[in-house]
Amino acid sequence: MSNKGSNLTRRAFLKHTAALAVVPHVVSATALGRDGRAAASERIVLGGIGIGSRGTHDLNWILPESDVQFVAICDAKKSQREAVKKIVDTRYGNTDCAMYRDIREFLAVRTDIDAVLIATGDRWHALAAVMAMRAGKDVYSEKPSSMTIAEGQAVVETARRYGRVYQTGTQRLSEGNFIFCNELVRLGRLGKVHTVRAHIAPWDAAEMKHDWLPGQPEPPKEEVDWDQWLGPCPWRPYNSAYTSGQWRGYYDFHTSCIGEWGAHTFAQCQEAIGATNSSAVEYQYVKNDSADGMVTRFANGVKMILNRAGWQGAPGGWRGSCGVCYEGTEGWVAAADGYSRPDVSPASLMADFRKIVYDYLARTGRPMSHVRDLLDCIKSRRQTVANPEVMHRSMSTVHAANICMWLKRDMRFDPVKEEFINDPEANRFRSRAMREPWAV
């Protein structure tokens, strides 16, 4: 037998094949995992969408994981694309990290990517997650992970329909101090819990600005793709302040001081009281610009109070950001960023801190690392600790609290129907118009 167009005869082919059989293939130690990293076949191939300052923190958190290979960055800003590429290439000692400006091209071309890190501003989180999951990617999305109740619903439905793993960046659900606080509630150590307190950001306001910055000449699209940066938001004139991070406080782009930290603390509180599949049902308007002191109530009767400053009922108050406090008939517990251990009363609640945390890890099989939980779940296909439902229900409470402040009146919400009760005006705020073609 001979091959047409080739000088390779059957005898020569067999001779060549036999020679290969006795000559060992040269395979790199990296491919085999001998450098301490997982073998290539076991690695999760990761890409990034919109990685700025917060995203860079996440990236540096993920890159040391031995079973991750970061391969590409998509960003509307050239300077950010290049900054991320430099970090990644320096880490791996090569020049392989690819750069993309258009999210549609990125998702269509990179069929090799298993999961994406989304760390854009608020305006893009839900849409980018939906687009990525439709393209077959698993998702880690920074918070606040939706701009509206409708966007949250879209994330939940897309993850379910496409069988994707999703983690929202409420990383305190994977940290020891906050796990301990939640477990005290679950174990009944505080007695009957009647009140939880959630920290909201001590800057900006709930009532956001509806104007926009003066227009400036748009840079070349390759430098800043303004259409991509805006995404689903209404068209606004370009201003470099937006792309430098000064979009907070504007209704078009932000979820307010409530969403800024409430995305974390509401999720923590709702996890503690067993309301991860629900949202608060009552919202009491407070006459200030920040929602400080707003009382919300869940169907199980537990009140969640929004506090802008640290709650001074705990010894020393909250000494850090994103604090929570849970009050029961037998005691209370509080924690925030920067605590070595939670504050408790009575002090005896701290006696078995380590055991309670270790028992949680054993019971749930969760690691004490939010990123590691995502990676493990990508492999096992189980739900993450901050899965789409956890994100959506806590963010629905954020959105409802915002709407209460915007309309300046008390309101009631039905978490089953996901609508405000007898309030058509409030219900119109459950969604926003999304600029074509950037729509879920």
Side-chain angles (χ1 to χ4, degrees), residues 269-347:
C269 288
Q270 290 183 214
E271 169 71 21
I273 65 174
T276 56
N277 62 347
S278 186
S279 303
V281 298
E282 295 178 4
Y283 300 79
Q284 296 178 8
Y285 171 66
V286 287
K287 294 182 179 180
N288 57 46
D289 67 355
S290 66
D292 183 30
M294 175 187 284
V295 177
T296 69
R297 190 183 303 274
F298 288 83
N300 61 8
V302 177
K303 295 187 298 183
M304 184 174 74
I305 302 175
L306 282 53
N307 288 124
R308 192 174 175 94
W311 178 52
Q312 298 306 309
W318 290 327
R319 300 180 297 279
S321 56
C322 293
V324 292
C325 180
Y326 309 146
E327 302 172 56
T329 54
E330 303 297 326
W332 57 260
V333 61
D337 291 347
Y339 277 39
S340 59
R341 287 288 185 269
D343 290 332
V344 297
S345 179

Side-chain angles (χ1 to χ4, degrees), residues 174 179 360-361 364-370 372-374 376:
S174 301
I179 288 170
Y360 164 87
L361 299 177
T364 64
R366 302 282 184 193
M368 204 179 298
S369 163
H370 212 52
R372 190 66 250 169
D373 183 55
L374 170 73
D376 290 349

Side-chain angles (χ1 to χ4, degrees), residues 240-272:
S240 60
Y242 291 136
T243 61
S244 299
Q246 297 178 48
W247 47 265
R248 287 178 173 81
Y250 287 90
Y251 177 82
D252 292 332
F253 309 130
H254 197 206
T255 52
S256 90
C257 63
I258 301 176
E260 191 72 40
W261 283 0
H264 283 292
T265 58
F266 290 12
Q268 292 158 225
C269 288
Q270 290 183 214
E271 169 71 21

Side-chain angles (χ1 to χ4, degrees), residues 140 159 293 363:
Y140 185 102
R363 176 175 62 83

